[in-house]
Amino acid sequence: MKKITTLCAAISALALSTGFAIAEADAPVLSIDGVVIATRAPAPEYLDIDEVISGWVFRTVETQALQMDDFDNPGMIFVDQALDDWNEVNGSEGKSCASCHTGGPEEFAGLRTVLPRWNEDAGAVWTMEDYINNSLVEHMGAEPWKVGKAQMNAMVALISLQSRGMPMNVAIDGPAAETWALGEEIYFTRVGQLDMACANCHIDNYGVMIRADHLSQGQSNGFPAYRLKNAKLNGIQSRFSGCMKNIRATPYAVGGPEFTALELYVASRGNGLSVEGPSVRN
Amino acid sequence: MAENVKPRVRVPRSAAAGEAFEIKSLISHIMESGRRKDSDGNTIPRSIINTFTCDFNGENVITAELHGAISTNPYFQFEATIEEAGTFTFTWLDDDGSVYTDSKDIALA
């Protein structure tokens, strides 16, 4: 209760109202063209909550419906565009993604569930964007794509789609442990003029209304997400950036080490939830 | 020229004669309204899909005129009936003169 009081004081302008009240029994089921998506799962043992819940559950019935049919999901437009990029020759080597990844994007089934992950050769935790840019630069002799921009988000969506319905399962131990711990620290550190941490909203207050928005656990399993707000795909790190701006903090760089650590930590808070990408959010 | 314009349509593979079925269409398009300004204060010229039509075996099923307030990626959903097998053709006209088309065959169930 104390935390909630501090929160109200910090953001008195934002109206907080009733608690999270979607009963298990009448909870909506997300099934996309026959694939059932786990939008709730028992929380991994390292978390301080019992259940992890996808952001989809918190959206309005109309927004939820958009994600239940790939035709209605505007995010799929960008997946189509990424398929064009997949086959397009780019760079000094005269190659397209298809030249090497001959099994098509399907080759990457399951990849989304384990990213970000430790890359031994690089000696760092890599996101999917890092892998794509590595192929562009090292294997194709092409320019890297900007992390968080349209072309990259679309390719991440295309590759994520291949894992749709599979449970998120990022590793937090071994060589990734240090990065994960940094992500955890960022998640719980209060920042910005409103002096809030990710945890103040997404752990302490999920389920309440914050202005017109139904607060979720801030999970990443749905990313990239098509947002009705800006009518385009949004990368996960851009979402972090938006949340930091909302509490009037200076966001870390999209594609930088802090947000990559945060991405790993947030992904680990969703281990067990199905990959949805591309999801639809408001 | 609008970039990354891609039409998509969904029509059932077959339908019973006289029975209504659903058609969905969507085209990815920026739908620049002509009312926004760029960072230098200059008006960004209007660039929208201004007409959408659906024909069946050469006969018009639906024609829609679009104006400046239609959001990006215009989506149409409507019902149709058929008495014979044939082909639906879909056409989108762009302000810049481009014409985008798609077509789908349908059988009689």
Side-chain angles (χ1 to χ4, degrees):
Chain A
M1 197 57 219
K2 183 166 174 295
K3 275 177 182 152
I4 295 182
T5 324
T6 0
L7 174 67
C8 287
I11 48 165
S12 52
L14 308 179
L16 297 172
S17 76
T18 53
F20 187 51
I22 297 175
E24 288 284 345
D26 47 48
V29 174
L30 172 54
S31 150
I32 307 171
D33 298 330
V35 180
V36 176
I37 305 285
T39 52
R40 290 163 174 266
E45 88 290 342
Y46 48 82
L47 294 190
D48 35 21
I49 47 176
D50 297 331
E51 194 185 24
V52 292
I53 308 170
S54 161
W56 179 83
V57 173
F58 298 82
R59 307 289 37 103
T60 62
V61 173
E62 295 79 8
T63 308
Q64 287 181 337
L66 285 174
Q67 204 183 315
M68 296 177 77
D69 178 338
D70 270 343
F71 195 93
D72 294 342
N73 180 343
M76 295 302 289
I77 298 169
F78 303 94
V79 167
D80 283 350
Q81 291 174 2
L83 263 179
D84 291 346
D85 276 341
W86 180 268
N87 292 307
E88 190 164 302
V89 171
N90 179 8
S92 59
E93 304 301 307
K95 294 203 153 75
S96 71
C97 311
S99 327
C100 296
H101 300 290
T102 51
E106 295 84 355
E107 211 174 84
F108 296 130
L111 184 62
R112 169 80 281 170
T113 65
V114 296
L115 294 181
R117 73 163 172 220
W118 179 256
N119 180 324
E120 193 58 47
D121 296 334
V125 166
W126 272 23
T127 60
M128 190 183 293
E129 286 86 342
D130 290 325
Y131 279 99
I132 293 169
N133 271 340
N134 183 64
S135 271
L136 281 163
V137 175
E138 301 297 331
H139 299 307
M140 299 168 75
E143 289 292 319
W145 293 342
K146 275 225 169 68
V147 179
K149 294 291 181 215
Q151 204 173 18
M152 180 61 96
N153 290 339
M155 187 58 77
V156 173
L158 170 65
I159 296 177
S160 299
L161 180 63
Q162 313 308 320
S163 304
R164 184 189 270 172
M166 298 180 193
M168 282 301 296
N169 184 27
V170 294
I172 66 167
D173 50 3
E178 203 180 314
T179 307
W180 184 77
L182 171 63
E184 183 184 37
E185 189 189 321
I186 295 173
Y187 198 84
F188 287 93
T189 304
R190 288 176 178 269
V191 288
Q193 250 178 4
L194 297 189
D195 196 31
M196 295 178 78
C198 314
N200 293 133
C201 284
H202 292 300
I203 300 179
D204 301 340
N205 283 293
Y206 72 84
V208 305
M209 296 299 289
I210 181 165
R211 285 211 202 141
D213 228 342
H214 196 188
L215 253 180
S216 74
Q217 292 183 342
Q219 296 287 359
S220 60
N221 61 305
F223 280 77
Y226 179 88
R227 293 190 65 189
L228 302 172
K229 169 185 167 160
N230 55 18
K232 62 177 188 182
L233 284 179
N234 296 257
I236 184 65
Q237 297 196 6
S238 307
R239 196 19 152 150
F240 298 164
S241 193
C243 278
M244 288 190 78
K245 283 182 196 151
N246 287 344
I247 48 176
R248 302 197 194 145
T250 308
Y252 297 107
V254 169
E258 294 88 358
F259 269 171
T260 293
L262 189 57
E263 182 177 338
L264 173 60
Y265 179 71
V266 170
S268 80
R269 293 191 65 91
N271 270 352
L273 291 175
S274 295
V275 173
E276 291 173 20
S279 66
V280 183
R281 301 286 189 259
N282 50 314
Chain B
M1 259 245 0
E3 280 174 15
N4 276 328
V5 181
K6 238 184 198 305
R8 311 166 72 199
V9 290
R10 181 186 284 173
V11 177
R13 248 174 240 128
S14 66
E19 208 165 279
F21 55 88
E22 194 174 68
I23 295 180
K24 292 179 174 184
S25 82
L26 185 151
I27 190 161
S28 52
H29 196 284
I30 181 162
M31 299 294 280
E32 187 60 62
S33 68
R35 303 201 166 270
R36 295 199 308 159
K37 299 213 172 17
D38 64 18
S39 47
D40 297 327
N42 302 315
T43 302
I44 305 172
R46 188 182 109 154
S47 169
I48 69 169
I49 296 287
N50 56 47
T51 311
F52 166 71
T53 59
C54 169
D55 296 335
F56 182 66
N57 290 347
E59 193 192 326
N60 186 247
V61 178
I62 188 172
T63 295
E65 267 181 43
L66 285 68
H67 296 275
I70 307 281
S71 64
T72 52
N73 309 332
Y75 173 102
F76 287 99
Q77 181 179 328
F78 49 95
E79 288 187 344
T81 56
I82 54 169
E83 300 298 336
E84 58 184 22
T87 307
F88 280 98
T89 52
F90 303 84
T91 312
W92 293 260
L93 306 183
D94 195 314
D95 275 350
D96 68 14
S98 307
V99 178
Y100 309 100
T101 57
D102 201 347
S103 65
K104 286 278 186 254
D105 294 335
I106 186 166
L108 221 42

